[in-house]
Each structure stands twice: as structure tokens, then as C-alpha cells.
Amino acid sequence: MIQEAARRLKAGLCVAMPTETVYGLFCDSTNESALASVYAMKGRPSSNPLIAHVLDVAMAKRTTFGFDARAEKLAAKFWPGPLAMVLPRRPEIAAVGVGGRGTVAVRVPAHPVVLAVLQAFGGALSAPSANRSGKVSPTTPQHVAHEFSHIEDLLILDGGPCDIGIESTVLDLSRARPMVLRPGAIGEEDITPLIGPVVMPHLTKQDASPGTMAKHYAPSVVCEVVQSSALESKLAKHAGRAAVLAFANDEVAAPHIKIEMPIDAYEYAQRFYAALREADACEATAVLIVAPQERNGVWVAIHDRIRRAGA
Ligand code: AMP
Ligand code: MG
């Protein structure tokens, strides 16, 4: 399967593969038509850049310019792992795969399947998450098959459920002050001891207050974030049947459906997208997500994804 995946990638086809974060739709980072087909398959806006996955630091240096002491330190500590670093791009990396930008995000993923394919392929592989644009990211091969059931002959490598379950941290090292463009399992507190302060522009108080937000992963149902203390009255007022991502202590009475979420941050992240898919599948009239109380470490990234599920 690894050889078949490498063969297809060399032929300009795309292949769905697991990483430790989510499943991705991979193709040759230097092949314009292959990259264009990934955007087309996903219905992804052409301005939204893909992450280039590399085998090791040496390949990262063949993909970018300016892989400096900060990048070296971060790579030594976190690669393979869920940290993508944005750096100036080498011209071999096609502009269509980075939304025409002069930069590219690179990372070494920590999953034996994608690493084996990177080794067999011998070059950078760009990938977005293997879902249609705006939908929930896939964390199992079944999720990918469900997303692309209309596509014939898509090779999906099965690496089991993803360990981390939410997308990588994206750190922009191409600007004067490093900036976290997307929070992930590697947090600000992990990065600053190595390279000093980073800008965290995404941190807003939006998700601290409950409110109705239009759901973006499945247009038929509303997805809303609620505080635990407000859940009971919310459910009492809800005319239909809500699917609720809630904690053990939260009471969810019939006809509403409780999808119990773990209290451990890593387990919550791992479970989150599958839980959203389950909520979608029960044909509820609304999806409610009980806001976790904690806001540090991995919870920063989880709050970001919860906000986006309702955005
Ligand atoms: P996804 O493929 O869904 O994991 O999305 C990758 C995300 O990483 C993009 O939506 C951007 O937010 C970010 N990203 C990737 N490459 C770059 C880049 N060159 N510059 C800025 N942001 C990037
Ligand atoms: Mg995505």
C-alpha cells in the first residue's frame, strides 16, 4: 500500500492518509495540476494555503528558505509532531498550493504511515484535511470515505483513529515577530521557552459568552456553544431534539441526546470531531456544545475549534 501510494503521488494523483492530527488529502507539493485537483475535490478556496509535509529537517530546508536557529530549536523539540512552521517558500513548491503566497507551512508529521510514504516518495507532500471545505475534519478512514463517497478510486490508507484529533499549531516565522496563526496541541507555553514571546492574535473572548451562531459544517442544523450553567434552561426551551456534547456532570434529559465528552484535554481533542459527526448523524434539530471551563494548554486550541464549529 505504501508503494502504491507513492506510485499514485508520483503520477500526480492524490491519496488520503492519516497523520497524528487529522486525516489529510495529500499530493506532490511541486505538481500544479495535482494541487489544483485537491482544491477542486475539497471545494477549497484557492487562497487558502496547504501545509507541506516533509520527512525531516533536511527536507524542510529543501522546501523553505531561512530555516533559522528558531526553526531548528522548535524542530528538535517538536518534530515529528503537530507544529507547522511558516517560512519563505522555495520556487519548487508550487504557488497554487500556498494560495499564491511567498511562504509555505512545513511540518514533519508523527504517523508511521505518512512517514513511510514520504520516505518512498522522496519529496514534500502538501495536504489539507481530508474533508469537503467547511465540513468537520476527519479523524478516521471511515470519515474520509464518507466525505468523498462520490469520488471513484480514491486511495485511503488506514492508520486507525488519529491520536491528537485536531489540526496542527501553525506558527508564522516569516514575520518580524513570530505569530501563532492557528492554535493546536503545541501551545504558547511550549513555544516561548524556546524562542521567546509569540503573538497570539486569535485569542478573543468570543467563546466566553454563550450565543447563537450559524453552524458551518452542516447547514441544516444550528450549532451553539452554551455554558454548563445555562444548559438546563436552554434545553427546556428547545422545541426539538438537541444533540449535546456535554460532560458527565451535565444533565441532558430525553428527548435530547447526550454525547459525553472526556474531561481530559487530550482526550477531548481526540474525540471532538467524531462527536460532532455523531451529533450530525442523529438528525437532531440543534447541536449544543457545553463550553469547557478550562482555558489553558490544549484547551486553547479546543476553544478555537468549538468557536469555529459554531462560526
Ligand atoms: P488545513 O489544511 O485545513 O489544515 O489548513 C491549513 C491552514 O494553515 C490554513 O488554513 C492556514 O490557516 C494555515 N497556513 C498554511 N500555510 C500557510 C502559509 N503559507 N501562510 C499562512 N498560513 C498558512
Ligand atoms: Mg481543514
Side-chain angles (χ1 to χ4, degrees), residues 22 42 44 48 128-135 137-138 167 182:
V22 301
K42 276 188 65 98
R44 184 175 175 103
N48 196 351
S129 50
N131 54 277
R132 281 166 300 137
S133 190
K135 306 280 173 178
S137 297
E167 301 84 350
R182 177 173 74 187

Side-chain angles (χ1 to χ4, degrees), residues 215 218-222 280 284-285:
K215 178 168 148 183
S220 54
V221 194
V222 172
D280 231 5
T285 45

Side-chain angles (χ1 to χ4, degrees), residues 104-166:
V104 62
V106 281
R107 83 175 187 102
V108 178
H111 194 292
V113 169
V114 66
L115 287 171
V117 174
L118 278 164
Q119 177 96 58
F121 178 75
L125 293 173
S126 291
S129 50
N131 54 277
R132 281 166 300 137
S133 190
K135 306 280 173 178
V136 180
S137 297
T139 55
T140 68
Q142 291 76 28
H143 294 165
V144 182
H146 185 252
E147 284 288 316
F148 296 112
S149 54
H150 57 296
I151 305 252
E152 262 174 57
D153 196 34
L154 171 66
L155 178 61
I156 304 172
L157 298 188
D158 185 347
C162 299
D163 265 357
I164 292 186
I166 56 171

Side-chain angles (χ1 to χ4, degrees), residues 5 7-8 20 72 81 106 109 140 181 190 234 269 277 297 307:
R7 188 193 67 73
R8 288 184 182 218
E20 80 282 29
E72 293 274 6
V106 281
T140 68
L181 302 178
D190 301 311
K234 186 103 215 163
R277 282 174 186 270
R307 189 163 58 231

